[in-house]
């Protein structure tokens, strides 16, 4: 999720679930091919890891897919769902729903170059183009191009007039449309996304589709991940407690600080981990007040954690 997640966030999330597929935020082909930084960097612990690309030029997408495969990503996902203006000008994101052949050409170009799966994340429609047939036209083109799976955010996007934030809240969710898509394309792997907040809800969607993707809820309430392996993947090994998760994060923090990362850039992802426990607010406050200070190190995290009484059996 742009501006929210990064590789530190994924490292932290991976401490709570071995099986959940983790995604990068959207990275544009332009940033990868012409940017100054290394936009493909990740830690091996983040696997299974999907790179989400933003772009529409088939040659650029294919080049990025090759680079990602060489770096060890497990899958490439193309963003056909982001409604931001910035994105529309660059011709990528949700506006591409109106150009199925262009998206299909991008998918085909990537498929021709890499062996890892190539998937697409899309909305159910844009603006007034929100009929089921409109969605099917895109899906038909993607199937023809060999797409390996779809993730469908079950609401349309208004490209004019709504902010990206409003576009995640105002257009109503239509889960039935995604279920119907799965019925009509039984051989295509389809995951559903949008407004899912609990694993019970996730389970109920899984009666109809092959996968679920959670965005905001997992970011804000990350400990939800600790039950994913047992509840959704049948892996009953015991999940770490919240305190254990943070303790396991400390060596990573030390390594990253030594490499020049600021503490706050890691701890900002952890603010919600104690949600619902006594001391959760003190944890957040201590980190927010201290993690950005010059020279702040793991002792700040330890002091923040000391403000949350450790339950004898932390399992929820
Ligand atoms: C801050 C923020 C940034 C996002 N960035 C991306 C992104 O880079 N790529 C993407 O496919 N979706 C992005 N999304 C959308 C989410 O992936 C997801 O589709 C949407 O929030 C609905 O799912 P949710 O209700 O589980 O959050 C972003 C959402 C938020 C809140």
């Amino acid at each position: 999720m742009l501006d929210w997640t990064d590789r530190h966030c994924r490292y932290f999330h991976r401490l709570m679930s071995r099986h959940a597929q983790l995604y990068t935020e959207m990275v544009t082909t332009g940033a990868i091919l012409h940017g100054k930084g290394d936009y493909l960097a990740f830690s091996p612990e983040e696997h299974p890891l999907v790179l989400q690309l933003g772009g529409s030029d088939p040659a650029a997408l294919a080049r990025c897919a090759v680079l990602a495969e060489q770096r060890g990503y497990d899958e490439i996902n193309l963003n056909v769902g982001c409604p931001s203006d910035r994105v529309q000008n660059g011709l990528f994101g949700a506006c591409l729903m109106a150009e199925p052949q262009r998206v299909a050409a991008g998918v085909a170009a990537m498929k021709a170059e890499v062996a890892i799966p190539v998937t697409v994340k899309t909305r159910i429609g844009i603006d007034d183009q929100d009929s089921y047939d409109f969605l099917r036209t895109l899906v038909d083109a993607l199937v023809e191009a060999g797409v390996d799976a779809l993730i469908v955010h079950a609401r349309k996007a208004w490209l004019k007039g709504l902010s990206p934030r409003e576009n995640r809240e105002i257009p109503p969710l239509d889960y039935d449309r995604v279920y119907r898509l799965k019925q009509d394309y039984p051989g295509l792997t389809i995951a559903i996304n949008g407004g899912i907040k609990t694993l019970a809800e996730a389970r109920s969607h899984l009666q109809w589709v092959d996968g679920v993707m959670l965005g905001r809820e997992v970011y804000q309430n990350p400990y939800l991940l600790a039950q994913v392996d047992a509840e959704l993947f049948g892996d009953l090994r015991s999940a770490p407690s919240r305190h254990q998760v943070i303790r396991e994060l400390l060596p990573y923090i030390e390594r990253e600080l030594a490499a020049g990362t600021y503490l706050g850039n890691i701890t900002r992802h952890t603010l919600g981990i104690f949600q619902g426990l006594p001391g959760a607010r003190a944890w957040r406050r201590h980190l927010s007040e201290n993690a950005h200070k010059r020279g702040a190190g793991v002792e700040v995290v330890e002091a923040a954690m000391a403000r949350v009484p450790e339950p004898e059996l932390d399992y929820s």
Side-chain angles (χ1 to χ4, degrees):
M1 293 192 286
L2 282 174
D3 299 330
W4 284 20
T5 64
D6 56 17
R7 63 190 178 87
H8 308 309
C9 181
R10 286 184 290 279
Y11 187 98
F12 165 60
H13 283 180
R14 182 59 73 208
L15 295 174
M16 292 171 275
S17 168
R18 294 179 175 91
H19 299 287
Q21 179 111 286
L22 298 178
Y23 289 73
T24 69
E25 56 287 354
M26 178 175 71
V27 187
T28 64
T29 53
I32 294 170
L33 298 177
H34 311 297
K36 290 215 173 73
D38 178 4
Y39 292 90
L40 297 179
F42 67 92
S43 308
E45 291 85 352
E46 291 170 51
H47 288 297
L49 179 62
V50 183
L51 173 69
Q52 189 186 64
L53 287 175
S56 59
D57 173 48
L61 288 169
R63 181 77 199 118
C64 290
V66 168
L67 292 173
E69 183 175 54
Q70 285 168 352
R71 293 289 288 269
Y73 280 91
D74 299 295
E75 179 178 318
I76 308 291
N77 177 264
L78 178 63
N79 185 313
V80 186
C82 180
S84 142
D85 279 352
R86 271 188 300 178
V87 163
Q88 287 175 50
N89 295 335
L91 212 86
F92 44 87
C95 62
L96 289 175
M97 281 198 83
E99 302 199 44
Q101 290 313 325
R102 193 190 287 262
V103 186
V107 169
M110 290 190 277
K111 288 288 297 176
E113 297 292 334
V114 297
I116 54 177
V118 174
T119 63
V120 167
K121 178 162 179 264
T122 182
R123 299 261 183 158
I124 56 174
I126 41 170
D127 300 326
D128 292 323
Q129 297 173 292
D130 59 0
S131 68
Y132 183 61
D133 281 347
F134 175 74
L135 179 60
R136 281 198 65 152
T137 305
L138 173 66
V139 175
D140 283 337
L142 294 177
V143 169
E144 179 74 29
V147 76
D148 291 290
L150 287 185
I151 301 159
V152 188
H153 181 177
R155 51 164 63 91
K156 72 171 178 177
W158 283 105
L159 298 182
K160 298 269 172 314
L162 291 190
S163 70
R165 188 189 177 132
E166 290 168 330
N167 258 315
R168 291 190 290 264
E169 283 159 11
I170 292 178
L173 285 161
D174 186 351
Y175 295 136
D176 285 339
R177 187 154 290 191
V178 186
Y179 300 163
R180 182 172 169 197
L181 202 60
K182 177 64 197 177
Q183 267 169 4
D184 290 347
Y185 297 82
L188 179 62
T189 302
I190 297 183
I192 197 165
N193 165 248
I196 304 168
K197 288 185 183 294
T198 66
L199 298 189
E201 286 169 29
R203 255 180 198 286
S204 127
H205 288 297
L206 288 171
Q207 295 176 283
W208 305 101
V209 289
D210 307 294
V212 289
M213 172 188 264
L214 277 70
R216 289 166 290 186
E217 189 61 26
V218 162
Y219 190 79
Q220 280 149 5
N221 177 22
Y223 198 64
L224 185 65
L225 283 168
Q227 290 311 311
V228 162
D229 288 358
E231 290 209 16
L232 302 182
F233 291 94
D235 181 346
L236 300 177
R237 282 176 285 182
S238 63
S241 73
R242 294 167 169 88
H243 286 76
Q244 269 167 345
V245 171
I246 297 300
R247 280 195 283 269
E248 280 183 38
L249 188 62
L250 295 179
Y252 175 81
I253 294 179
E254 276 179 331
R255 278 202 306 278
E256 283 295 324
L257 294 181
T261 302
Y262 287 105
L263 180 64
N265 286 347
I266 304 174
T267 55
R268 72 190 184 95
H269 305 300
T270 68
L271 295 177
I273 190 170
F274 293 110
Q275 195 184 100
L277 287 193
R281 186 187 297 189
W283 156 262
R284 282 199 308 271
R285 185 172 332 125
H286 191 83
L287 287 180
S288 306
E289 287 173 0
N290 297 290
H292 63 277
K293 290 186 181 155
R294 231 188 141 86
V298 289
E299 69 289 343
V300 170
V301 183
E302 286 166 333
M305 190 162 58
R307 288 165 162 71
V308 191
E310 189 159 0
E312 260 173 47
L313 214 162
D314 176 18
Y315 166 85
S316 54

